[in-house]
Amino acid sequence: MDVPFINSGALSRAQYSLVRKVESAQSPPAVDQILLSEIDGIRHHFAAGGLSLKECREKLIMLLYCSMNLTHVTPGELAFALPHAVNLAEMGQTLRDKQLGFVFCTEVMPANHELQLMLVNTIRKDLESSSTARICLALSFLIQVPNDDVIPAVESHLQALFMHKSTLVRRRAYLAYHSLLRNESSRLTPLEDAVVLRIQRTLPSIDPCAMAAAIKLNQAQSINDEVNALLPIVWQRPGHQSLSLTLLVLRALRKAKLSSLNVCIVIDVIKRTSDPPVRVLLREAFLVLSSVSAEVVQECQTQQSLCPVACIRHLLTSKDPNDQYLFISCLDCLSPTLWAGTLPGTTAILDEWEVQEVMKLLDSRDRLVRKLTLRVLQAVDYSLVEAYYTQLLQNLPIGSSLSDKADYLSRLLDVCEVQCGNDGEQYASHLKNLFTVAEGEIQGHSEEMPVVEAAVEMILTHIREFDIASCISCVTALGVSVTELDARIGPTLMVVISALVCEYCGKIAVPPLGLLQGMASRLVSYVVTVQDTCLLSMLRVCAECDEIPDTIPKIVAEISQFSGKLVRNRCGLFMTYCGQRNVLTGVIAQASSSSLPDFLAALKVHQTTMSGASTRSDPTLSGPSPPRASLSPGKLRYAAYAAPQAVPSLRHLLSPHRTESTLSSSGRRTRSSSLASERGMSLAELARTITPGELTIVAAQGPLHDLPEPDHVRNPKTPPGENLASRVDLISLDTAPDEISVTVPTLEPCFEEVWDAMENSNSRGWCESSMDNIVRLLQSLQHSMRVIAVDQPPFEGELKVLVIASSDLSLEESKQCAALRLRESEEESCLWRLRCDDVELRTIIKRLLDGI
């Protein structure tokens, strides 16, 4: 965010700073960490107390911002802020304060929460207020968060507001009363009477508020009678105002019982609004006819000698996609017996060429138009859709790109959805047949096939729209295919099955052990993304198994040996928890839902909790510790000496030359002497334990007048009594050979300044190698380097490397430098970003990275 604070619209500097941090974060996990830290900070502020209403309002706004912008981590319970929100709604001096209090409670407070009782008095007082805005705030809260306990306190006040002079208040009063009492139809009588009275009093005009309530009360006979009586009145009124009023009445009649007289009026509405089309009114009229039986519509057609479809047939040849959608959606509202001539003695309304135009809509670029066309054809003759599906399946392209394959599969899946309807078992059968062709042997090896994510999303979304019985039958049919070890299951279908098995495990009639063995036997045949999903689903299935066969952990261990970092982590997770059924049961109980992502999130929370518990129980893990906690018995240590006197750095004594930075295997920044490398000293020699005598010999080398001044002489600000032992450079003898660390007090350039200075020389790419290997390859260029660790600023989460080609000049005097940022992935590869103004150096480094 490059906008200054004064123009940002932020309430405070704290909010401005938070938004800047979030927008400059390098990754979604980093965003989550920032937001969760802010939530914890606000929790501590509220716990401390003493906040003014203004400060409380700012904190609540920041909490809403945090909870709505978390990406991978749920914000958890924000109930700690609910008392403050309730207090703000009660004590707020301005409408803005009260609105924020109500909005926070609406977003955060669960239904029938105990603190809703604290709002009853506030709502009642606002309903009695003379301020229209305050009344509307209270009514809006009742509409969105209805509560049974508030009914006795506000029922009479709501009835009084039915006759309020403001349409804003009346509309909300009707909807709030219906929202509170919708489950008790006998108590809705005052609302029905008020709506009927309002309709009658406003004739020949129409009260939009009353019509909005009539739409909610369409099951009441008194309301239906009044609305039916309104249709002839508003439709016969001259002028354009009749169209808007007719639309209100039609919407109220959509689910009501339409009289025969009004069916003829609706057909007349279609006739008079079809050319030129008044789209919204035309569509609403066909929706009203969809609720009327075909016999009644047929009778009215005969009386008027007019079919509604004949009024819109000209839209079929229009080039406007909106007209095409309007035609096919209106056609979908009517029974085919009214226009397709499917019954004896009836004639088809559309000519043969018009039927061909309808068939062409199957190739529309609009998916909704294609699905509606399929539904219309399925209603006319299911064999038409079956023939179309067979043709698509036979012409499935081979070797097409992933995007083309996803588009083709989406068309096939649309046909499956229309053909199967709500039959879960039939849908599962269609899926198996479809992917037998789409991911069969003719399409290539399973190990090389990518997952079609669009198809996975479509399938899972459609299955979740089933009722529970259809869901279980569908998942059971798909799960059975996993237990058949000779059945070929492609990667896309395997991801779908894994997600569904995790979600419905324990509810389906498939042996969990068979599922486990079927998934384990196929793991080696899939790409990484499929293996990841399968391993998580297998871990969920383990919670349903009494005993895990030894062959399954063995298969997982073998796969772990030849896999990348992500799969190794998942394999380790499986090996750790597959035998801990009680732990898995607790994780499942803590998950917010039974879906696979929520299961993984609960598992990570459990790991974090256990890791924190182990850290608290071991005091050696709570404070700072050396890189290695202990030495092996083979390593020798000399006895501890008293704190040494301030002496020059060993590096200055050992080598006057420039230094180079290297990266240890653990990811920490380490340094080594260039002189040691020039003399061919091995790492083992560098790691050898230095005796006190050798230290004395080294300290005695060189004239004393060449030694640098002690720290307390160079820096006059150092207190004379300060312990100088902390300023002496020592070699950590506990480090591994590749982790020897010697601190060099040199003035190094700021990486962020160098990076920003070269913003016009950008390169980026993807490298199939780890960050360690990349740094080692950069060292082979024989240039001076500076490496900044991943957890150090700037750009935390990325490894920073500064390469200086000219060692005889300072960084300010030479442009021969390059700044490199590396972000490692879980598959031992990394994304690199390079900035370098020197063309020659940039080309050398870029070729080096591209060649890995």
Side-chain angles (χ1 to χ4, degrees):
M1 183 170 66
D2 298 327
V3 180
F5 170 72
I6 194 171
N7 297 329
S8 65
L11 289 176
S12 62
R13 289 282 182 181
Q15 185 189 12
Y16 179 77
S17 176
L18 174 64
V19 176
R20 283 186 62 90
K21 289 180 183 178
V22 169
E23 294 187 353
S24 60
Q26 300 298 313
S27 63
V31 172
D32 290 338
Q33 188 61 41
I34 293 170
L35 296 176
L36 290 173
S37 299
E38 185 67 28
I39 291 176
D40 288 337
I42 294 175
R43 181 186 287 108
H44 293 318
H45 278 291
F46 279 149
L51 294 177
S52 64
L53 287 179
K54 179 182 178 182
E55 292 173 329
C56 180
R57 178 165 59 88
E58 292 175 358
K59 299 298 182 185
L60 291 177
I61 290 176
M62 292 176 69
L63 277 179
L64 287 175
Y65 173 82
C66 292
S67 63
M68 296 172 66
N69 285 276
L70 283 165
T71 53
H72 297 307
V73 183
T74 56
E77 292 292 335
L78 295 180
F80 68 88
L82 283 176
H84 303 275
V86 171
N87 183 63
L88 188 64
E90 167 66 24
M91 304 298 295
Q93 300 300 315
T94 64
L95 285 173
R96 191 176 182 183
D97 289 346
K98 294 183 71 68
Q99 182 184 26
L100 177 60
F102 281 125
V103 167
F104 191 91
C105 292
T106 301
E107 295 293 332
V108 177
M109 187 178 290
N112 296 318
H113 191 272
E114 57 183 8
L115 282 179
Q116 287 195 0
L117 292 174
M118 304 294 293
L119 284 169
V120 171
N121 192 48
T122 301
I123 294 172
R124 185 182 56 78
K125 289 194 299 184
D126 287 341
L127 292 179
E128 295 173 349
S129 171
S130 59
S131 170
T132 300
R134 294 184 64 176
I135 297 173
C136 288
L137 281 178
L139 291 173
S140 298
F141 180 76
L142 290 176
I143 294 170
Q144 298 180 64
V145 191
N147 183 274
D148 296 338
D149 296 328
V150 79
I151 295 175
V154 301
E155 185 174 4
S156 59
H157 293 85
L158 292 177
Q159 293 177 11
L161 292 175
F162 289 164
M163 305 304 294
H164 197 277
K165 62 181 180 179
S166 171
T167 57
L168 298 175
V169 173
R170 285 203 310 273
R171 182 186 183 95
R172 286 172 173 79
Y174 292 152
L175 297 179
Y177 197 90
H178 180 268
S179 178
L180 289 171
L181 298 168
R182 63 183 181 274
N183 295 325
E184 302 180 48
S185 57
S186 60
R187 299 180 64 180
L188 289 174
T189 303
L191 177 58
E192 296 170 5
D193 295 341
V195 171
V196 170
L197 182 61
R198 189 67 187 175
I199 292 174
Q200 293 173 348
R201 283 185 175 182
T202 55
L203 288 176
S205 181
I206 299 294
D207 185 2
C209 302
M211 298 311 300
I215 294 174
K216 297 288 186 181
L217 300 168
N218 54 64
Q219 301 300 322
Q221 186 60 44
S222 58
I223 299 292
N224 287 340
D225 293 340
E226 292 296 330
V227 176
N228 268 284
L230 282 176
L231 184 58
I233 297 174
V234 298
W235 180 239
Q236 294 172 6
R237 182 177 298 176
H240 291 286
Q241 186 182 8
S242 66
L243 298 180
S244 58
L245 296 178
T246 302
L247 181 61
L248 285 175
V249 176
L250 288 177
R251 285 177 175 169
L253 287 172
R254 185 188 298 180
K255 295 183 179 180
K257 185 177 180 181
L258 200 65
S259 65
S260 299
L261 175 62
N262 281 345
V263 172
C264 296
I265 294 177
V266 171
I267 294 177
D268 188 52
V269 171
I270 292 173
K271 177 183 176 181
R272 292 169 56 181
T273 59
S274 59
D275 194 11
V278 183
R279 291 191 178 96
V280 62
L281 193 56
L282 191 61
R283 168 72 170 155
E284 198 64 46
F286 272 93
L287 287 173
V288 171
L289 289 182
S290 66
S291 63
V292 182
S293 65
E295 291 77 10
V296 175
V297 178
Q298 182 66 47
E299 182 181 348
C300 293
Q301 284 186 173
T302 305
Q303 290 177 4
Q304 295 187 334
S305 301
L306 179 65
C307 177
V309 175
C311 299
I312 60 171
R313 64 196 307 172
H314 65 280
L315 298 175
L316 182 58
T317 56
S318 174
K319 300 300 182 183
D320 188 347
N322 292 323
D323 288 341
Q324 295 176 356
Y325 170 78
L326 180 61
F327 173 82
I328 199 66
S329 61
C330 291
L331 203 62
D332 184 50
C333 293
L334 296 181
S335 170
T337 59
L338 298 174
W339 59 270
T342 55
L343 293 179
T346 59
T347 57
I349 302 300
L350 300 179
D351 296 332
E352 183 178 352
W353 69 270
E354 289 174 317
V355 175
Q356 292 177 357
E357 291 295 324
V358 173
M359 296 295 294
K360 288 181 181 179
L361 294 179
L362 290 172
D363 297 324
S364 173
R365 297 174 61 184
D366 191 325
R367 184 192 173 205
L368 187 54
V369 171
R370 294 199 305 266
K371 288 195 69 174
L372 286 172
T373 307
L374 287 169
R375 283 169 50 179
V376 169
L377 295 177
Q378 178 79 3
V380 174
D381 188 354
Y382 71 91
S383 62
L384 294 174
V385 178
E386 189 173 347
Y388 175 70
Y389 177 77
T390 303
Q391 181 184 2
L392 279 181
L393 200 58
Q394 290 176 350
N395 296 329
L396 186 70
I398 300 175
S400 58
S401 65
L402 184 60
S403 60
D404 292 340
K405 187 175 182 179
D407 181 66
Y408 204 90
L409 282 178
S410 68
R411 293 172 180 258
L412 286 164
L413 290 171
D414 285 338
V415 181
C416 292
E417 292 178 10
V418 172
Q419 283 184 313
C420 301
N422 199 42
D423 190 334
E425 190 172 355
Q426 186 183 7
Y427 185 67
S429 176
H430 275 68
L431 288 180
K432 290 189 285 188
N433 294 334
L434 168 59
F435 284 99
T436 298
V437 178
E439 295 183 333
E441 295 181 358
I442 193 173
Q443 298 289 338
H445 299 289
S446 299
E447 299 89 337
E448 302 171 356
M449 286 187 189
V451 176
V452 185
E453 296 182 6
V456 173
E457 182 179 358
M458 284 182 62
I459 295 170
L460 294 179
T461 302
H462 182 67
I463 292 176
R464 289 195 176 99
E465 292 174 353
F466 288 159
D467 55 63
I468 186 63
S470 298
C471 279
I472 292 176
S473 63
C474 179
V475 179
T476 301
L478 291 173
V480 168
S481 60
V482 177
T483 62
E484 300 169 355
L485 300 182
D486 57 340
R488 177 186 172 93
I489 303 178
T492 303
L493 186 59
M494 194 65 200
V495 170
V496 171
I497 295 175
S498 299
L500 292 173
V501 165
C502 179
E503 188 165 353
Y504 293 95
C505 190
K507 301 176 183 177
I508 56 178
V510 182
L513 191 57
L515 290 171
L516 203 58
Q517 291 173 335
M519 289 184 181
S521 64
R522 293 179 173 89
L523 273 177
V524 71
S525 304
Y526 297 125
V527 293
V528 172
T529 51
V530 184
Q531 291 178 336
D532 179 26
T533 309
C534 287
L535 286 167
L536 290 173
S537 184
M538 289 168 58
L539 193 57
R540 170 62 183 89
V541 175
C542 286
E544 307 295 328
C545 299
D546 296 328
E547 187 176 353
I548 309 299
D550 296 336
T551 55
I552 293 176
K554 184 179 179 181
I555 293 174
V556 174
E558 291 175 354
I559 290 175
S560 177
Q561 295 177 1
F562 304 100
S563 301
K565 184 177 180 181
L566 174 63
V567 175
R568 286 203 309 270
N569 290 342
R570 291 288 185 262
C571 291
L573 201 65
F574 181 87
M575 300 291 287
T576 301
Y577 292 105
C578 66
Q580 302 182 34
R581 186 176 182 182
N582 293 335
V583 174
L584 291 175
T585 303
V587 169
I588 295 168
Q590 294 297 321
S592 57
S593 75
S594 59
S595 65
L596 190 146
D598 287 335
F599 171 69
L600 175 60
L603 194 60
K604 288 183 177 180
V605 170
H606 172 77
Q607 283 185 295
T608 304
T609 304
M610 296 303 295
S611 175
S614 62
T615 303
R616 289 190 297 269
S617 63
D618 188 352
T620 62
L621 300 177
S622 59
S625 60
R628 299 294 176 97
S630 61
L631 290 172
S632 61
K635 290 189 178 182
L636 299 177
R637 303 176 68 110
Y638 56 83
Y641 291 90
Q645 301 298 317
V647 296
S649 172
L650 272 177
R651 178 172 289 280
H652 289 284
L653 295 176
L654 289 174
S655 174
H657 301 287
R658 63 180 177 86
T659 62
E660 295 180 357
S661 299
T662 61
L663 188 71
S664 69
S665 60
S666 62
R668 292 184 295 270
R669 200 181 82 182
T670 60
R671 298 180 180 274
S672 61
S673 172
S674 62
L675 182 61
S677 61
E678 292 172 2
R679 293 180 179 178
M681 295 178 67
S682 66
L683 290 176
E685 291 174 334
L686 289 174
R688 180 177 58 83
T689 303
I690 300 177
T691 64
E694 289 172 337
L695 288 173
T696 305
I697 294 173
V698 172
Q701 290 179 351
L704 292 178
H705 58 79
D706 290 336
L707 297 178
E709 295 179 350
D711 288 345
H712 69 280
V713 176
R714 292 195 306 269
N715 187 2
K717 296 182 181 180
T718 304
E722 183 179 346
N723 185 7
L724 297 179
S726 62
R727 292 181 174 268
V728 179
D729 296 324
L730 294 177
I731 298 178
S732 175
L733 300 180
D734 287 347
T735 56
D738 60 339
E739 297 175 344
I740 300 173
S741 177
V742 182
T743 304
V744 183
T746 57
L747 183 61
E748 297 176 326
C750 176
F751 182 89
E752 187 171 9
E753 293 178 359
V754 175
W755 178 266
D756 293 339
M758 298 186 293
E759 60 180 352
N760 296 325
S761 304
N762 282 298
S763 298
R764 67 170 62 200
W766 189 265
C767 188
E768 295 294 336
S769 182
S770 64
M771 294 192 300
D772 291 5
N773 293 334
I774 293 175
V775 173
R776 293 190 185 98
L777 287 172
L778 290 174
Q779 287 176 335
S780 66
L781 299 177
Q782 300 299 319
H783 294 317
S784 178
M785 286 173 49
R786 178 193 173 200
V787 180
I788 303 176
V790 174
D791 58 348
Q792 297 297 320
F795 313 118
E796 295 183 19
E798 297 180 341
L799 186 72
K800 287 73 65 177
V801 182
L802 191 63
V803 181
I804 304 175
S806 177
S807 59
D808 297 331
L809 299 174
S810 66
L811 187 61
E812 291 77 6
E813 298 171 345
S814 172
K815 287 188 176 181
Q816 293 183 345
C817 67
L820 184 66
R821 290 164 58 181
L822 304 173
R823 178 179 292 277
E824 193 167 28
S825 72
E826 295 185 346
E827 281 301 307
E828 297 186 353
S829 57
C830 68
L831 176 71
W832 58 266
R833 296 175 61 187
L834 173 68
R835 286 186 180 180
C836 179
D837 288 336
D838 184 72
V839 178
E840 182 180 357
L841 181 59
R842 183 172 69 246
T843 303
I844 292 174
I845 296 178
K846 193 171 182 300
R847 286 177 179 173
L848 180 69
L849 295 173
D850 292 338
I852 298 178

